Amino acid sequence: MKITKLSHVFDVLGVKQAQVVKVLAAKGITFSTASLSRLKRQGEWPKTCDVSAVQAAICEHLKHLGATELQLDNLFGDVEPNLDVPEIKEIEDPEPEMLTANAKRFFKLRRDPFENEITTESDVFLMEPHRIILEDMLSAASAGSMVALYGECGSGKTIIRRQFVHQIQQDHPDVILIQPARLDRRKITAESISTAICRALQVRHRLSAEERDAAIEEALIESANNGHLHLLIIDEAHDLNPDVIKLLKRIWELTHGFRRVMGIVLIGQSELKKKLDGQHVREFTWRCNQIEMQPLGIHVPAYIKHKFERVGVDASKIFTDDAMGAIRGKCYGRIKHGIALDESNFDRSYPLNINTWLAKTMNLAAQIGEPVINEKLVLKV
């Protein structure tokens, strides 16, 4: 099978054709999606167009998205053999692999960049979508709203939660965080949530459930009158019982005048999205802002550089630019949905997957004694 280099670069960077057409239109260049599709797939140019202007605009846009000089070189050249891009295939997450002691010695690393790597706020890599998530979680406290954050295993949800808790403790002492201590989320009940609220607000235990609930409501209102905000955070929320999710909506409805006294944040794996789509919890879902953790995407090179910078190493001395792009390519593919249906992109460039591919590649490089990792070496892993 043959593909153009332009098609290869579009696939690696996850570029949408409609996006490129809009960029060209903004520069005053008329270029249809159909023309771009023919150019991408077959290398065919329309009979009437300013080829040099289109080429310059596309190269500028791709460079802005993180394309390397090697990727841009001869971008509109002849059709080339398949460049090992996973054009249409099912992507499976790599088997976890640790960086070997031999690899750490070979690359002169004081510690493993991928093991217990988050010890300070500076270790956290934040993209703009992450900052928006943090703002949404903070607004859940200030506005008394509900947020559900979900994503694949290894997408960075726990790090976002830890960053948020740290941020609250450092910059927002008026926010009281309420976090149920029950490790098995499947066993969280109304009793568990009430106990967590009592612990956070220092409400003394009452004998009857009705007395306890009345004391909790009084304590929340009094705390709100004293200028405090309250936020209930439940991690691993995909394990929650649907009845508990419905209960959370009733807690959220507690008000003091026109003001809600508590916001709610649920954090869980992708199964949480499926659970919230169920009819049984629709009253909660309709009022909840659902946010999906996004893959690193074009930010993979910046993420790699950040990880190594935190251990005092310049990543560019270990990985070439095309190698960093190839690491992302390991997590990227296309999915066929059947005849007459468009293919879709499939991107699993989550931190855990990128860390694993980096470790696998460095282990191989150390084993064969290759001090600089390029695209060809990455593709061998």
Side-chain angles (χ1 to χ4, degrees):
M1 179 183 175
K2 301 247 182 189
I3 63 170
T4 65
K5 181 158 186 192
L6 182 64
S7 177
H8 168 70
V9 174
F10 270 35
D11 286 344
V12 169
L13 297 178
V15 178
K16 306 283 189 185
Q17 290 182 184
Q19 177 188 16
V20 175
V21 170
K22 287 182 181 178
V23 170
L24 292 174
K27 294 180 179 293
I29 301 172
T30 302
F31 205 80
S32 69
T33 305
S35 295
L36 181 59
S37 180
R38 284 194 297 273
L39 174 61
K40 175 186 165 188
R41 294 178 181 277
Q42 301 161 355
E44 295 180 0
W45 287 92
K47 292 182 179 179
T48 56
C49 81
D50 189 341
V51 173
S52 60
V54 173
Q55 289 180 342
I58 291 177
C59 285
E60 181 183 348
H61 180 59
L62 294 180
K63 193 170 185 178
H64 175 71
L65 294 178
T68 65
E69 292 299 328
L70 182 63
Q71 289 171 324
L72 296 176
D73 182 45
N74 196 31
L75 182 65
F76 303 94
D78 296 332
V79 174
E80 299 182 353
N82 193 331
L83 299 174
D84 293 323
V85 62
E87 186 189 5
I88 301 172
K89 74 173 187 178
E90 183 178 350
I91 300 291
E92 294 184 0
D93 292 338
E95 286 292 326
E97 183 171 324
M98 304 295 291
L99 199 64
T100 64
N102 178 46
K104 283 188 278 189
R105 285 194 302 270
F106 185 79
F107 290 106
K108 298 180 175 59
L109 299 176
R110 297 194 305 271
R111 65 179 177 87
D112 189 334
F114 320 120
E115 183 182 13
N116 300 323
E117 74 276 25
I118 306 298
T119 57
T120 67
E121 186 177 9
S122 302
D123 291 331
V124 180
F125 178 80
L126 292 178
M127 306 185 299
E128 187 59 28
H130 294 157
R131 294 186 174 89
I132 293 173
I133 290 172
L134 291 171
E135 288 296 326
D136 286 338
M137 292 170 73
L138 182 59
S139 70
S142 59
S145 57
M146 296 191 293
V147 171
L149 174 64
Y150 64 90
E152 296 292 335
C153 182
S155 59
K157 304 181 299 297
T158 299
I159 299 302
I160 288 293
R161 179 184 62 79
R162 290 168 59 187
Q163 172 69 18
F164 175 71
V165 170
H166 174 80
Q167 198 170 307
I168 289 295
Q169 292 171 341
Q170 295 292 316
D171 304 327
H172 301 278
D174 56 321
V175 177
I176 297 177
L177 296 179
I178 302 167
Q179 304 181 73
R182 195 72 188 255
L183 295 178
D184 189 346
R185 297 301 192 251
R186 291 169 298 183
K187 295 183 178 179
I188 286 183
T189 61
E191 181 76 24
S192 305
I193 294 173
S194 296
T195 300
I197 297 174
C198 288
R199 184 172 61 249
L201 298 181
Q202 298 181 343
V203 176
R204 291 196 307 174
H205 182 71
R206 303 299 175 95
L207 293 178
S208 72
E210 185 163 341
E211 287 180 338
R212 182 198 61 217
D213 291 345
I216 286 175
E217 186 170 355
E218 291 174 7
L220 284 170
I221 292 173
E222 182 181 355
S223 179
N225 285 336
N226 290 332
H228 290 295
L229 302 171
H230 312 95
L231 187 64
L232 175 65
I233 301 180
I234 302 180
D235 201 0
E236 303 295 330
H238 52 273
D239 283 334
L240 288 177
N241 185 293
D243 288 334
V244 173
I245 295 178
K246 290 175 68 175
L247 170 68
L248 293 176
K249 186 252 182 183
R250 297 191 186 100
I251 295 175
W252 172 76
E253 288 175 334
L254 288 175
T255 59
H256 176 46
F258 292 103
R259 180 181 174 186
R260 299 195 185 280
V261 296
M262 184 181 297
I264 296 173
V265 171
L266 302 183
I267 303 173
Q269 296 179 15
S270 298
E271 290 79 4
L272 175 61
K273 166 67 173 173
K274 298 176 183 177
K275 188 163 287 187
L276 293 180
D277 286 341
Q279 285 294 309
H280 192 57
V281 296
R282 62 187 182 277
E283 291 183 3
F284 179 94
T285 305
W286 290 342
R287 296 164 175 83
C288 179
N289 178 23
Q290 298 183 47
I291 307 171
E292 182 179 9
M293 287 292 295
Q294 297 299 312
L296 294 170
I298 62 172
H299 301 285
V300 166
Y303 172 79
I304 295 173
K305 292 173 183 176
H306 173 83
K307 298 300 290 183
F308 282 89
E309 181 183 312
R310 299 308 303 161
V311 294
V313 175
D314 183 355
S316 62
K317 293 182 178 178
I318 299 178
F319 296 91
T320 61
D321 288 342
D322 60 358
M324 294 186 193
I327 289 289
R328 184 204 169 188
K330 286 286 189 180
C331 304
Y332 178 83
R334 306 294 297 277
I335 301 177
K336 269 188 174 180
H337 298 285
I339 298 174
L341 294 175
D342 292 338
E343 300 168 8
S344 62
N345 296 331
F346 191 68
D347 190 351
R348 294 183 65 84
S349 56
Y350 300 115
L352 180 61
N353 288 342
I354 296 298
N355 290 354
T356 299
W357 284 119
L358 289 171
K360 286 177 177 288
T361 305
M362 293 175 70
N363 288 342
L364 176 61
Q367 187 178 345
I368 64 178
E370 183 59 62
V372 178
I373 297 173
N374 58 24
E375 182 182 25
K376 289 183 179 179
L377 182 56
V378 173
L379 295 176
K380 289 180 181 179
V381 177

